[in-house]
Amino acid sequence: HHSVCGDDAWEKVIGRLIHPTDPALALHHFTHGPIKKVLGLQVAYITRCCETAMHAASSRIIEKFKRTWEARLTAYRALPDGTARAAEVATSPPELLIGFIGCGIIGMGVVRTLLDAGIEASQLLISTRSTGSAQLRELSLRGAWVGFDNRKVAGSAHVLVFATLPSQLLEATREAQETITRRTLALSLVGGVPSTKLRSMLMTPHAIQLRANSERIRAALGMQTSAHGVPETGAAEAGQASLSEPLDSSTLASLAA
């Protein structure tokens, strides 16, 4: 290739791929990372709340039922589908399991955020068609369940995250609806499907659509758009410059819808 195109020319080509010069492409390019982080922080916060609630409920069972707490706690540790879960210590609370249906760019970004937040790989159940990717193989080696079985993941997870393409969500929810129970909280990262519709599709009251406020993200990155939503001149340069100062966690948290 170097015989056809010099080093300087190749650097310009690669530079265009890394930092799009087209304003519309730049707008999507530079907001994509923060959007993943915002969604990831929302999922991490919710899962930690669920985990805290499960620990509190376990302690309450032990305190309230002096004679029968062990049997009750054993039943409480069972997966949402009723499958028994053994524990090394009788007083151990349930281990929170987080399921993913779909795990592409956005889904994998959320997985990384959960791992950074202290969630163990063994707490993850991932159903995806792309089971052979290097990242998923690594997660599998670390203890995550990786396969393509939406029904299994929906019936086993305490928190179920939908991270499919919009065109795949209907089929995914149809399969999940067969095994999901009211002990599971469903979260959707898929745009265009509000919480009310998601609850109807899954036939459960415990379903929420998570969103990131893209306008606030663009403002935080210093990227302005016109009144018609078209990126103004300099959006690419503004986004590129902002990468030298990553958004901190508190700022990212404020960018949720």
Side-chain angles (χ1 to χ4, degrees), residues 24-38 106 212-223 225 239 242-243 247 252 255:
L25 289 176
L27 192 64
H28 292 289
H29 176 79
F30 292 111
T31 57
H32 191 71
I35 285 173
K36 287 193 294 183
K37 291 180 181 178
V38 168
I106 297 293
N213 192 315
S214 57
E215 290 302 321
R216 288 187 182 180
I217 289 173
R218 291 165 188 164
L221 290 171
M223 301 176 71
T225 57
S242 71
L243 294 182
L247 301 179
L252 286 167
L255 300 179

Side-chain angles (χ1 to χ4, degrees), residues 141-240:
L141 291 173
R142 293 173 60 183
W145 184 92
V146 178
F148 182 43
D149 191 337
N150 294 342
R151 295 176 179 85
K152 171 184 172 64
V153 170
S156 302
H158 299 98
V159 177
L160 180 63
V161 182
F162 287 90
T164 66
L165 294 173
S167 60
Q168 299 170 339
L169 183 62
L170 181 59
E171 180 185 357
T173 53
R174 280 176 178 168
E175 294 179 351
Q177 184 267 330
E178 296 177 17
T179 54
I180 195 171
T181 75
R182 292 192 171 216
R183 287 187 60 191
T184 297
L185 172 63
L187 307 174
S188 175
L189 311 181
V190 184
V193 181
S195 299
T196 50
K197 185 172 182 180
L198 185 65
R199 292 168 193 147
S200 176
M201 293 165 73
L202 290 169
M203 297 182 68
T204 176
H206 309 307
I208 306 170
Q209 183 207 22
L210 302 183
R211 296 187 298 169
N213 192 315
S214 57
E215 290 302 321
R216 288 187 182 180
I217 289 173
R218 291 165 188 164
L221 290 171
M223 301 176 71
Q224 304 300 319
T225 57
S226 69
H228 301 289
V230 179
E232 295 180 348
T233 304
E237 291 79 359
Q240 183 173 346

Side-chain angles (χ1 to χ4, degrees), residues 16 26 29 57 63 89 92 99-101 120 139 142 153 166 188 202 207 213 216 234 254:
R16 291 194 200 100
H29 176 79
E63 293 172 5
V89 181
S92 296
F100 281 80
I101 293 183
E120 298 292 335
L139 284 172
R142 293 173 60 183
V153 170
S188 175
L202 290 169
N213 192 315
R216 288 187 182 180
S254 71

Side-chain angles (χ1 to χ4, degrees), residues 110-128:
V110 173
V111 166
R112 290 197 194 97
T113 300
L114 290 175
L115 294 173
D116 289 342
I119 296 295
E120 298 292 335
S122 59
Q123 294 177 256
L124 302 176
L125 308 169
I126 301 174
S127 176
T128 176

Side-chain angles (χ1 to χ4, degrees), residues 61-122:
I61 289 172
I62 294 171
E63 293 172 5
K64 185 176 181 179
F65 302 99
K66 301 297 184 182
R67 296 182 180 180
T68 60
W69 68 265
E70 193 166 354
R72 291 174 182 271
L73 192 54
T74 298
Y76 185 52
R77 270 196 300 266
L79 298 181
D81 65 2
T83 303
R85 295 274 286 183
E88 294 183 3
V89 181
T91 56
S92 296
E95 180 184 41
L96 180 75
L97 296 184
I98 306 154
F100 281 80
I101 293 183
C103 196
I105 295 174
I106 297 293
M108 185 56 69
V110 173
V111 166
R112 290 197 194 97
T113 300
L114 290 175
L115 294 173
D116 289 342
I119 296 295
E120 298 292 335
S122 59

